[in-house]
Short mmCIF file of all heavy atoms in Angstrom, two decimals:
data_model
loop_
_atom_site.label_atom_id
_atom_site.label_comp_id
_atom_site.label_asym_id
_atom_site.label_seq_id
_atom_site.Cartn_x
_atom_site.Cartn_y
_atom_site.Cartn_z
N ASP A 78 1.25 -8.20 17.67
CA ASP A 78 0.68 -6.98 18.24
C ASP A 78 1.75 -5.92 18.47
O ASP A 78 1.52 -4.73 18.19
CB ASP A 78 -0.02 -7.30 19.56
CG ASP A 78 -1.28 -8.14 19.37
OD1 ASP A 78 -1.79 -8.21 18.23
OD2 ASP A 78 -1.75 -8.74 20.37
N TYR A 79 2.92 -6.33 18.96
CA TYR A 79 3.99 -5.38 19.24
C TYR A 79 4.47 -4.70 17.95
O TYR A 79 4.69 -3.48 17.93
CB TYR A 79 5.15 -6.05 19.95
CG TYR A 79 6.23 -5.07 20.36
CD1 TYR A 79 6.14 -4.38 21.56
CD2 TYR A 79 7.33 -4.82 19.53
CE1 TYR A 79 7.11 -3.45 21.93
CE2 TYR A 79 8.30 -3.90 19.88
CZ TYR A 79 8.20 -3.21 21.09
OH TYR A 79 9.15 -2.29 21.45
N VAL A 80 4.64 -5.48 16.91
CA VAL A 80 5.09 -4.92 15.63
C VAL A 80 4.08 -3.89 15.11
O VAL A 80 4.46 -2.80 14.64
CB VAL A 80 5.32 -6.04 14.59
CG1 VAL A 80 5.55 -5.46 13.19
CG2 VAL A 80 6.49 -6.92 14.99
N LYS A 81 2.79 -4.22 15.22
CA LYS A 81 1.75 -3.30 14.77
C LYS A 81 1.72 -2.04 15.61
O LYS A 81 1.68 -0.91 15.09
CB LYS A 81 0.38 -3.99 14.81
CG LYS A 81 0.18 -5.04 13.73
CD LYS A 81 -1.21 -5.66 13.83
CE LYS A 81 -1.44 -6.71 12.75
NZ LYS A 81 -2.79 -7.33 12.88
N GLU A 82 1.73 -2.20 16.93
CA GLU A 82 1.64 -1.05 17.84
C GLU A 82 2.85 -0.13 17.71
O GLU A 82 2.73 1.09 17.84
CB GLU A 82 1.50 -1.54 19.28
CG GLU A 82 0.17 -2.23 19.57
CD GLU A 82 0.19 -3.03 20.86
OE1 GLU A 82 1.23 -2.99 21.56
OE2 GLU A 82 -0.81 -3.71 21.15
N SER A 83 4.01 -0.72 17.44
CA SER A 83 5.24 0.07 17.32
C SER A 83 5.46 0.57 15.90
O SER A 83 6.44 1.28 15.64
CB SER A 83 6.44 -0.78 17.76
OG SER A 83 6.28 -1.25 19.07
N ARG A 84 4.56 0.19 14.98
CA ARG A 84 4.64 0.59 13.58
C ARG A 84 6.00 0.26 12.96
O ARG A 84 6.60 1.09 12.26
CB ARG A 84 4.33 2.08 13.45
CG ARG A 84 2.92 2.44 13.90
CD ARG A 84 2.61 3.90 13.69
NE ARG A 84 1.24 4.22 14.12
CZ ARG A 84 0.70 5.43 14.06
NH1 ARG A 84 1.42 6.46 13.60
NH2 ARG A 84 -0.54 5.62 14.45
N LEU A 85 6.46 -0.93 13.25
CA LEU A 85 7.75 -1.36 12.70
C LEU A 85 7.56 -1.87 11.28
O LEU A 85 6.58 -2.58 11.00
CB LEU A 85 8.33 -2.47 13.58
CG LEU A 85 8.71 -2.03 15.01
CD1 LEU A 85 9.07 -3.24 15.86
CD2 LEU A 85 9.86 -1.04 14.98
N PRO A 86 8.47 -1.55 10.38
CA PRO A 86 8.31 -1.93 8.97
C PRO A 86 8.75 -3.36 8.70
O PRO A 86 9.56 -3.62 7.81
CB PRO A 86 9.23 -0.92 8.26
CG PRO A 86 10.34 -0.69 9.23
CD PRO A 86 9.69 -0.74 10.60
N TYR A 87 8.22 -4.28 9.49
CA TYR A 87 8.62 -5.68 9.37
C TYR A 87 7.52 -6.48 8.71
O TYR A 87 6.32 -6.25 8.93
CB TYR A 87 8.92 -6.29 10.74
CG TYR A 87 9.98 -5.58 11.54
CD1 TYR A 87 10.10 -5.79 12.91
CD2 TYR A 87 10.88 -4.70 10.94
CE1 TYR A 87 11.07 -5.16 13.67
CE2 TYR A 87 11.87 -4.05 11.69
CZ TYR A 87 11.95 -4.28 13.06
OH TYR A 87 12.92 -3.65 13.79
N GLN A 88 7.92 -7.46 7.92
CA GLN A 88 6.98 -8.41 7.34
C GLN A 88 6.78 -9.53 8.37
O GLN A 88 7.75 -10.12 8.83
CB GLN A 88 7.55 -8.97 6.04
CG GLN A 88 6.63 -9.89 5.28
CD GLN A 88 7.29 -10.45 4.03
OE1 GLN A 88 7.14 -11.63 3.73
NE2 GLN A 88 8.05 -9.63 3.30
N VAL A 89 5.52 -9.78 8.73
CA VAL A 89 5.24 -10.74 9.81
C VAL A 89 4.31 -11.84 9.31
O VAL A 89 3.28 -11.56 8.68
CB VAL A 89 4.59 -10.04 11.02
CG1 VAL A 89 4.38 -11.04 12.16
CG2 VAL A 89 5.46 -8.87 11.50
N HIS A 90 4.69 -13.08 9.60
CA HIS A 90 3.87 -14.25 9.29
C HIS A 90 3.54 -14.98 10.59
O HIS A 90 4.45 -15.23 11.39
CB HIS A 90 4.61 -15.21 8.35
CG HIS A 90 5.06 -14.57 7.06
ND1 HIS A 90 4.24 -14.47 5.96
CD2 HIS A 90 6.24 -14.00 6.71
CE1 HIS A 90 4.89 -13.87 4.98
NE2 HIS A 90 6.10 -13.57 5.41
N ASP A 91 2.27 -15.28 10.78
CA ASP A 91 1.92 -16.01 12.00
C ASP A 91 2.36 -17.47 11.89
O ASP A 91 3.00 -17.87 10.92
CB ASP A 91 0.42 -15.89 12.30
CG ASP A 91 -0.47 -16.57 11.25
OD1 ASP A 91 0.00 -17.49 10.54
OD2 ASP A 91 -1.65 -16.17 11.14
N ARG A 92 2.01 -18.25 12.86
CA ARG A 92 2.54 -19.62 12.97
C ARG A 92 2.08 -20.52 11.83
O ARG A 92 2.66 -21.58 11.61
CB ARG A 92 2.17 -20.23 14.32
CG ARG A 92 2.84 -19.51 15.49
CD ARG A 92 2.58 -20.20 16.79
NE ARG A 92 3.13 -21.54 16.77
CZ ARG A 92 2.58 -22.59 17.37
NH1 ARG A 92 1.42 -22.44 18.01
NH2 ARG A 92 3.15 -23.77 17.33
N HIS A 93 1.03 -20.13 11.12
CA HIS A 93 0.54 -20.93 10.00
C HIS A 93 0.63 -20.16 8.68
O HIS A 93 0.01 -20.54 7.70
CB HIS A 93 -0.91 -21.36 10.27
CG HIS A 93 -1.09 -22.03 11.60
ND1 HIS A 93 -0.60 -23.30 11.88
CD2 HIS A 93 -1.69 -21.60 12.75
CE1 HIS A 93 -0.89 -23.61 13.13
NE2 HIS A 93 -1.55 -22.61 13.68
N GLY A 94 1.42 -19.08 8.68
CA GLY A 94 1.44 -18.20 7.53
C GLY A 94 2.32 -18.63 6.38
O GLY A 94 2.20 -18.09 5.27
N LEU A 95 3.23 -19.56 6.61
CA LEU A 95 4.14 -20.01 5.57
C LEU A 95 4.15 -21.53 5.49
O LEU A 95 4.09 -22.22 6.51
CB LEU A 95 5.58 -19.53 5.86
CG LEU A 95 5.86 -18.03 5.85
CD1 LEU A 95 7.27 -17.78 6.37
CD2 LEU A 95 5.70 -17.46 4.45
N THR A 96 4.25 -22.05 4.28
CA THR A 96 4.49 -23.48 4.13
C THR A 96 5.96 -23.75 4.44
O THR A 96 6.78 -22.83 4.49
CB THR A 96 4.18 -23.96 2.70
OG1 THR A 96 5.13 -23.35 1.80
CG2 THR A 96 2.77 -23.59 2.29
N HIS A 97 6.29 -25.01 4.62
CA HIS A 97 7.68 -25.35 4.91
C HIS A 97 8.59 -24.94 3.75
O HIS A 97 9.69 -24.41 3.95
CB HIS A 97 7.81 -26.85 5.17
CG HIS A 97 9.16 -27.27 5.62
ND1 HIS A 97 9.90 -28.24 4.98
CD2 HIS A 97 9.94 -26.83 6.64
CE1 HIS A 97 11.06 -28.39 5.59
NE2 HIS A 97 11.12 -27.54 6.60
N GLN A 98 8.14 -25.15 2.53
CA GLN A 98 8.95 -24.77 1.37
C GLN A 98 9.13 -23.26 1.30
O GLN A 98 10.22 -22.78 0.96
CB GLN A 98 8.32 -25.28 0.08
CG GLN A 98 9.15 -24.93 -1.17
CD GLN A 98 8.71 -25.69 -2.40
OE1 GLN A 98 8.56 -26.90 -2.36
NE2 GLN A 98 8.51 -24.97 -3.50
N GLU A 99 8.09 -22.51 1.60
CA GLU A 99 8.21 -21.06 1.59
C GLU A 99 9.21 -20.58 2.64
O GLU A 99 9.97 -19.62 2.40
CB GLU A 99 6.84 -20.42 1.83
CG GLU A 99 5.89 -20.55 0.64
CD GLU A 99 4.47 -20.13 0.97
OE1 GLU A 99 4.09 -20.16 2.17
OE2 GLU A 99 3.73 -19.78 0.04
N LEU A 100 9.21 -21.24 3.80
CA LEU A 100 10.17 -20.88 4.84
C LEU A 100 11.60 -21.18 4.39
O LEU A 100 12.51 -20.36 4.58
CB LEU A 100 9.86 -21.63 6.13
CG LEU A 100 10.83 -21.42 7.29
CD1 LEU A 100 10.94 -19.93 7.64
CD2 LEU A 100 10.40 -22.23 8.51
N LEU A 101 11.81 -22.34 3.77
CA LEU A 101 13.13 -22.67 3.26
C LEU A 101 13.59 -21.66 2.21
O LEU A 101 14.77 -21.26 2.18
CB LEU A 101 13.14 -24.08 2.67
CG LEU A 101 13.01 -25.24 3.65
CD1 LEU A 101 12.92 -26.56 2.90
CD2 LEU A 101 14.17 -25.27 4.63
N GLN A 102 12.68 -21.23 1.36
CA GLN A 102 13.03 -20.24 0.35
C GLN A 102 13.46 -18.93 1.00
O GLN A 102 14.40 -18.27 0.55
CB GLN A 102 11.85 -20.02 -0.60
CG GLN A 102 11.58 -21.19 -1.52
CD GLN A 102 10.33 -21.01 -2.36
OE1 GLN A 102 9.38 -20.38 -1.91
NE2 GLN A 102 10.32 -21.57 -3.55
N LEU A 103 12.76 -18.54 2.07
CA LEU A 103 13.15 -17.33 2.80
C LEU A 103 14.53 -17.50 3.43
O LEU A 103 15.36 -16.57 3.38
CB LEU A 103 12.12 -17.04 3.90
CG LEU A 103 11.02 -16.04 3.61
CD1 LEU A 103 10.07 -15.94 4.79
CD2 LEU A 103 11.61 -14.67 3.29
N MET A 104 14.78 -18.64 4.03
CA MET A 104 16.08 -18.90 4.63
C MET A 104 17.20 -18.81 3.59
O MET A 104 18.28 -18.30 3.88
CB MET A 104 16.10 -20.29 5.28
CG MET A 104 15.29 -20.40 6.55
SD MET A 104 15.29 -22.09 7.22
CE MET A 104 14.51 -21.83 8.82
N GLY A 105 16.90 -19.28 2.39
CA GLY A 105 17.89 -19.26 1.32
C GLY A 105 18.19 -17.87 0.80
O GLY A 105 19.19 -17.67 0.10
N LYS A 106 17.35 -16.90 1.17
CA LYS A 106 17.57 -15.50 0.78
C LYS A 106 18.00 -14.63 1.96
O LYS A 106 18.21 -13.43 1.80
CB LYS A 106 16.29 -14.92 0.17
CG LYS A 106 15.85 -15.57 -1.12
CD LYS A 106 14.68 -14.85 -1.76
CE LYS A 106 13.41 -15.02 -0.96
NZ LYS A 106 12.23 -14.43 -1.65
N SER A 107 18.13 -15.24 3.14
CA SER A 107 18.40 -14.47 4.35
C SER A 107 19.90 -14.40 4.65
O SER A 107 20.61 -15.39 4.56
CB SER A 107 17.68 -15.09 5.55
OG SER A 107 16.27 -15.04 5.36
N ALA A 108 20.33 -13.20 5.02
CA ALA A 108 21.72 -13.02 5.44
C ALA A 108 21.91 -13.54 6.86
O ALA A 108 22.92 -14.16 7.18
CB ALA A 108 22.11 -11.55 5.38
N VAL A 109 20.90 -13.29 7.72
CA VAL A 109 20.99 -13.62 9.14
C VAL A 109 19.72 -14.32 9.59
O VAL A 109 18.61 -13.96 9.16
CB VAL A 109 21.20 -12.34 9.99
CG1 VAL A 109 21.28 -12.68 11.47
CG2 VAL A 109 22.44 -11.58 9.54
N TYR A 110 19.89 -15.33 10.44
CA TYR A 110 18.75 -16.01 11.07
C TYR A 110 18.85 -15.80 12.57
O TYR A 110 19.92 -16.00 13.17
CB TYR A 110 18.76 -17.50 10.75
CG TYR A 110 17.83 -18.30 11.64
CD1 TYR A 110 16.47 -18.35 11.36
CD2 TYR A 110 18.30 -18.96 12.77
CE1 TYR A 110 15.60 -19.04 12.19
CE2 TYR A 110 17.44 -19.66 13.60
CZ TYR A 110 16.09 -19.70 13.31
OH TYR A 110 15.23 -20.38 14.14
N LEU A 111 17.74 -15.42 13.21
CA LEU A 111 17.71 -15.19 14.65
C LEU A 111 16.72 -16.14 15.34
O LEU A 111 15.55 -16.21 14.95
CB LEU A 111 17.27 -13.74 14.95
CG LEU A 111 18.10 -12.61 14.34
CD1 LEU A 111 17.42 -11.27 14.64
CD2 LEU A 111 19.50 -12.61 14.89
N GLY A 112 17.21 -16.85 16.35
CA GLY A 112 16.36 -17.70 17.17
C GLY A 112 16.73 -17.52 18.63
O GLY A 112 17.92 -17.44 18.97
N ASN A 113 15.72 -17.47 19.51
CA ASN A 113 16.01 -17.12 20.90
C ASN A 113 15.03 -17.80 21.84
O ASN A 113 13.81 -17.65 21.70
CB ASN A 113 15.91 -15.60 21.08
CG ASN A 113 16.46 -15.13 22.41
OD1 ASN A 113 17.40 -15.70 22.96
ND2 ASN A 113 15.88 -14.06 22.93
N SER A 114 15.55 -18.57 22.79
CA SER A 114 14.68 -19.23 23.77
C SER A 114 15.44 -19.48 25.06
O SER A 114 16.68 -19.44 25.10
CB SER A 114 14.15 -20.56 23.22
OG SER A 114 15.21 -21.50 23.09
N LEU A 115 14.69 -19.75 26.13
CA LEU A 115 15.28 -20.03 27.43
C LEU A 115 15.58 -21.50 27.62
O LEU A 115 16.39 -21.87 28.47
CB LEU A 115 14.34 -19.57 28.55
CG LEU A 115 13.92 -18.10 28.55
CD1 LEU A 115 12.98 -17.83 29.72
CD2 LEU A 115 15.13 -17.19 28.62
N SER A 116 14.93 -22.35 26.83
CA SER A 116 15.11 -23.79 26.96
C SER A 116 14.84 -24.44 25.62
O SER A 116 13.85 -24.13 24.96
CB SER A 116 14.14 -24.35 28.02
OG SER A 116 14.24 -25.75 28.10
N ASP A 117 15.75 -25.33 25.21
CA ASP A 117 15.57 -25.98 23.91
C ASP A 117 16.56 -27.12 23.78
O ASP A 117 17.55 -27.20 24.51
CB ASP A 117 15.79 -24.99 22.77
CG ASP A 117 14.99 -25.32 21.52
OD1 ASP A 117 14.52 -26.47 21.41
OD2 ASP A 117 14.82 -24.43 20.68
N GLY A 118 16.27 -27.99 22.82
CA GLY A 118 17.24 -28.99 22.42
C GLY A 118 17.99 -28.42 21.23
O GLY A 118 18.37 -27.25 21.22
N MET A 119 18.18 -29.22 20.18
CA MET A 119 18.79 -28.73 18.95
C MET A 119 17.66 -28.35 18.00
O MET A 119 17.00 -29.23 17.43
CB MET A 119 19.67 -29.80 18.33
CG MET A 119 20.45 -29.33 17.12
SD MET A 119 21.69 -28.07 17.51
CE MET A 119 23.00 -29.09 18.20
N PRO A 120 17.38 -27.06 17.81
CA PRO A 120 16.22 -26.65 17.02
C PRO A 120 16.37 -27.03 15.54
O PRO A 120 17.39 -26.72 14.91
CB PRO A 120 16.21 -25.13 17.17
CG PRO A 120 17.11 -24.83 18.33
CD PRO A 120 18.12 -25.92 18.36
N ASN A 121 15.36 -27.68 14.99
CA ASN A 121 15.41 -28.03 13.57
C ASN A 121 15.46 -26.79 12.68
O ASN A 121 16.10 -26.80 11.63
CB ASN A 121 14.20 -28.90 13.19
CG ASN A 121 14.49 -30.38 13.35
OD1 ASN A 121 15.63 -30.79 13.56
ND2 ASN A 121 13.44 -31.18 13.27
N THR A 122 14.77 -25.72 13.09
CA THR A 122 14.80 -24.50 12.28
C THR A 122 16.21 -23.92 12.22
O THR A 122 16.61 -23.36 11.19
CB THR A 122 13.82 -23.45 12.81
OG1 THR A 122 13.95 -23.35 14.23
CG2 THR A 122 12.39 -23.81 12.47
N LEU A 123 16.96 -24.04 13.30
CA LEU A 123 18.35 -23.60 13.28
C LEU A 123 19.15 -24.41 12.28
O LEU A 123 19.92 -23.86 11.48
CB LEU A 123 18.97 -23.72 14.67
CG LEU A 123 20.50 -23.58 14.74
CD1 LEU A 123 20.94 -22.18 14.34
CD2 LEU A 123 21.01 -23.95 16.13
N LEU A 124 18.99 -25.73 12.32
CA LEU A 124 19.74 -26.60 11.40
C LEU A 124 19.35 -26.32 9.96
O LEU A 124 20.20 -26.35 9.06
CB LEU A 124 19.48 -28.06 11.75
CG LEU A 124 19.89 -28.51 13.16
CD1 LEU A 124 19.64 -30.00 13.34
CD2 LEU A 124 21.34 -28.16 13.45
N GLU A 125 18.07 -26.04 9.73
CA GLU A 125 17.64 -25.70 8.37
C GLU A 125 18.24 -24.38 7.92
O GLU A 125 18.69 -24.25 6.77
CB GLU A 125 16.11 -25.64 8.32
CG GLU A 125 15.46 -27.01 8.41
CD GLU A 125 13.95 -26.95 8.53
OE1 GLU A 125 13.44 -25.94 9.07
OE2 GLU A 125 13.27 -27.89 8.10
#
């Protein structure tokens, strides 16, 4: 909702919008990965 309301030119996928392989492919093309939380263990997405 925030991205839409702010008219930000970002590509957004909801929690079921990508398969695991599609996410890995995106990671393989990404310069930077951002993850942010107040509490966590060792996030698998970070390791990927």
